[in-house]
């Protein structure tokens, strides 16, 4: 009712906005200030909580992932060995695989092989992709051992797609020749970002006339995305 006490005393939502913005800014500033600035800081913080339950170690493990040193790698490998809960395993795998780290490949490979969770598979495969030639080799071996369909295979293809260098490309192209039907789609999609690559373009061109319409359309779309001279002729 106009003029009622409730109407007169109800504050506008806009009156809260400046205070809310200030609170959020202070919170963000506080969180930033709490993050370690050096590898030694991150290691020291982890050491203080390393005997605590996994939930208490999560933030420290995440911070370890921002840095690279032999000591950091050793700490993350120790966490990988004893991680139990899925959420903590995921945290450790992401931190371990976030940078190239000597000795990380066996742990990431083991994490992938033991994973039953799609996100964990993806994180382990992405981590392997960050480990250079040794990681790519592990991805290729895992891919060759997997059945020709399923989420594990998708994760491995995505991992190889993230990796740089000719070896990852060659593994994807080689596997593309060994499978048929829509089992080729994860491999083809993993090659999507490869531009100005004669071998990849040749594979795309050969698939443009494939009897599977989705495979053909995917190959043609990649040619068009990279402005290949033959894209219009294949349409």
């Amino acid at each position: 009712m106009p003029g009622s006490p409730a109407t007169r005393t109800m504050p506008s939502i806009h009156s809260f906005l400046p205070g809310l913005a200030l609170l959020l800014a202070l919170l963000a500033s506080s969180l930033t200030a709490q993050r370690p600035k050096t590898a030694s800081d991150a290691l020291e913080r982890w050491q203080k909580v390393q005997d605590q339950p996994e939930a208490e170690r999560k933030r420290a493990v995440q911070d370890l992932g921002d840095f690279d040193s032999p000591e950091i790698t050793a700490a993350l490998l120790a966490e990988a060995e004893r991680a139990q809960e899925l959420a903590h395993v995921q945290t450790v795998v992401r931190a371990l695989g976030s940078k190239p780290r000597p000795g990380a490949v066996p742990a990431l490979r083991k994490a992938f092989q033991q994973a039953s969770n799609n996100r964990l598979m993806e994180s382990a495969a992405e981590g392997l992709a960050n480990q250079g030639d040794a990681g790519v080799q592990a991805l290729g071996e895992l891919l060759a051992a997997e059945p020709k369909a399923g989420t594990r295979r998708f994760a491995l293809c995505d991992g190889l797609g993230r990796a740089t260098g000719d070896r990852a490309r060659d593994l994807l192209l080689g596997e593309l020749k060994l499978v048929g039907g829509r089992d080729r789609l994860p491999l083809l999609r993993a090659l999507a970002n490869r531009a100005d690559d004669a071998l990849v373009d040749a594979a795309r061109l050969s698939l443009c006339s494939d009897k599977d319409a989705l495979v053909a359309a995917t190959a043609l779309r990649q040619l068009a995305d990279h402005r290949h001279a033959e894209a219009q002729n294949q349409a």
Side-chain angles (χ1 to χ4, degrees), residues 67 159 167 203 224:
F67 301 96
R167 180 59 179 152

Side-chain angles (χ1 to χ4, degrees), residues 26-49:
L26 290 172
L27 180 59
S29 177
S30 175
L31 291 174
T32 300
Q34 292 172 9
R35 300 295 299 276
K37 294 180 172 57
T38 66
S40 59
D41 286 345
L43 191 62
E44 182 179 350
R45 293 187 185 193
W46 171 76
Q47 289 169 338
K48 289 178 179 178
V49 298

